Amino acid sequence: MFYKKTLGDRMFDIAVYTLIALTICATLYPLIYVVSMSISDPIAASRGDVWFLPVGFDTTAMKTVLQDPYIFTYYGNTIWYTVVGTLCTIFVTALMAYPLSRADFWYRSFFNKFVMVTMFFNGGIIPTYLVVARNLNLNNNRWVIIVCALTTAWYIMITKSFFASLPEELVESAYLDGASHYRIFGQIVLPLSKPIIAVLALYKSVGHWNSYFNHMLYLTDKKLQPLSLYVRRVVLENDLQSVAGGAEVMTIEQMLSANQLKYAVILVTVLPMLIIYPFISKYLEKGLMVGAVKG
């Protein structure tokens, strides 16, 4: 039997599909525009002829960005912060969330409240800077970025909820067989937690890849700075000489494509995340939905 939709149902479907189409267009248009501006003809781009698809074809801006002697140093630093920071976040978050998900943990209520308080109150930027930069003396140190963004209360809460949703019988049977808590955690809980681990990895890797504020505060050495600060200098501070290899005098081609350099830098920055996202996006919905069922 088929359900016959009423006029109201059809109108609702039309409204939903229209909203989805508008959302997709609003999401894709900036990306398409950035790609088009970075590879269009410099004259057409400077005249403002590019509004959607590329006009002509020229890769001068992309070549200028890739020829920057510091671009691969920035890339290497960003990859290091992203990979190491994501792994450390997953490790610390899982270790904190697992005991909080166990009903037999004696101090579970106290630590749950302790974690929840940090979601609403924090020390602020200035006290944090004084502790990190002066007391701990972590200025111009790679690990300051990892330590300052190690985990959050929200990560711990959703991971704890996911662990609590796992069948209790698995843990109890392993415990009766003589397995320790560390073995249960490492060989039973973690292998079953791929969805929530993928969610943490996606959120934290994107966060580290796009982060710039802590780097701007604590890293003054350019050899330690990530790609995000490079983009900030080019896009906000209009530091085009840094893209041109530090040359005081830019060539005619580079001056003509100066406006395109900003879009080329943005494209070079976001492209890796766009490539990685499809491989882990299948775990995103499952991890969030399961992790949000039980509190």
Side-chain angles (χ1 to χ4, degrees):
M1 296 179 63
F2 295 96
Y3 171 71
K4 186 177 181 180
K5 293 185 176 181
T6 63
L7 178 61
D9 293 334
R10 289 195 291 268
M11 294 296 294
F12 179 77
D13 291 342
I14 292 173
V16 169
Y17 291 137
T18 302
L19 181 61
I20 292 174
L22 292 175
T23 304
I24 293 174
C25 292
T27 304
L28 290 180
Y29 177 74
L31 179 61
I32 296 174
Y33 181 76
V34 168
V35 175
S36 300
M37 281 293 294
S38 61
I39 63 175
S40 292
D41 182 73
I43 298 178
S46 61
R47 287 202 308 253
D49 295 339
V50 181
W51 62 275
F52 185 63
L53 295 177
V55 178
F57 183 76
D58 190 280
T59 58
T60 302
M62 293 296 297
K63 290 179 180 177
T64 303
V65 172
L66 295 178
Q67 288 173 356
D68 187 344
Y70 291 103
I71 186 67
F72 294 106
T73 300
Y74 295 134
Y75 249 117
N77 292 336
T78 301
I79 292 173
W80 191 91
Y81 294 132
T82 301
V83 173
V84 176
T86 302
L87 292 176
C88 290
T89 295
I90 292 173
F91 180 73
V92 172
T93 303
L95 283 180
M96 182 68 181
Y98 177 67
L100 295 180
S101 67
R102 302 294 302 152
D104 54 352
F105 180 49
W106 287 1
Y107 302 101
R108 177 186 179 186
S109 177
F110 169 77
F111 283 109
N112 269 319
K113 294 176 181 177
F114 184 82
V115 171
M116 289 293 293
V117 167
T118 63
M119 296 181 67
F120 307 102
F121 303 98
N122 61 74
I125 297 176
I126 296 177
T128 302
Y129 179 82
L130 293 176
V131 171
V132 173
R134 295 190 178 181
N135 295 351
L136 299 180
N137 195 24
L138 288 177
N139 269 347
N140 287 322
N141 190 315
R142 290 183 182 272
W143 288 101
V144 67
I145 305 301
I146 309 301
V147 172
C148 290
L150 197 55
T151 189
T152 65
W154 185 69
Y155 289 165
I156 294 173
M157 289 296 108
I158 63 171
T159 308
K160 182 204 75 169
S161 298
F162 186 92
F163 288 161
S165 68
L166 296 176
E168 183 68 22
E169 293 78 7
L170 292 175
V171 177
E172 290 179 354
S173 61
Y175 185 74
L176 291 175
D177 289 339
S180 63
H181 289 292
Y182 295 104
R183 188 169 184 180
I184 294 173
F185 175 72
Q187 296 185 0
I188 296 178
V189 175
L190 285 184
L192 295 175
S193 304
K194 291 180 181 179
I196 196 63
I197 291 176
V199 170
L200 293 176
L202 176 63
Y203 280 1
K204 200 60 187 179
S205 60
V206 172
H208 271 295
W209 191 272
N210 296 326
S211 175
Y212 76 93
F213 188 74
N214 284 340
H215 304 78
M216 186 173 59
L217 283 180
Y218 303 116
L219 300 179
T220 57
D221 187 356
K222 284 189 175 182
K223 294 180 180 179
L224 300 176
Q225 291 179 352
L227 200 59
S228 56
L229 288 186
Y230 174 73
V231 175
R232 184 181 182 277
R233 283 198 299 270
V234 174
V235 176
L236 296 182
E237 300 176 8
N238 206 27
D239 186 10
L240 300 178
Q241 276 74 21
S242 64
V243 187
E248 296 182 359
V249 180
M250 300 175 66
T251 64
I252 297 178
E253 292 80 4
Q254 291 172 342
M255 292 179 64
L256 195 60
S257 61
N259 189 43
Q260 291 178 280
L261 289 176
K262 300 178 181 181
Y263 298 97
V265 168
I266 295 173
L267 181 61
V268 169
T269 304
V270 303
L271 195 59
M273 285 290 105
L274 293 177
I275 295 174
I276 295 173
Y277 179 79
F279 295 99
I280 57 178
S281 61
K282 62 181 180 180
Y283 296 107
L284 182 60
E285 182 179 356
K286 181 179 179 182
L288 285 178
M289 293 299 294
V290 177
V293 171
K294 298 176 66 176

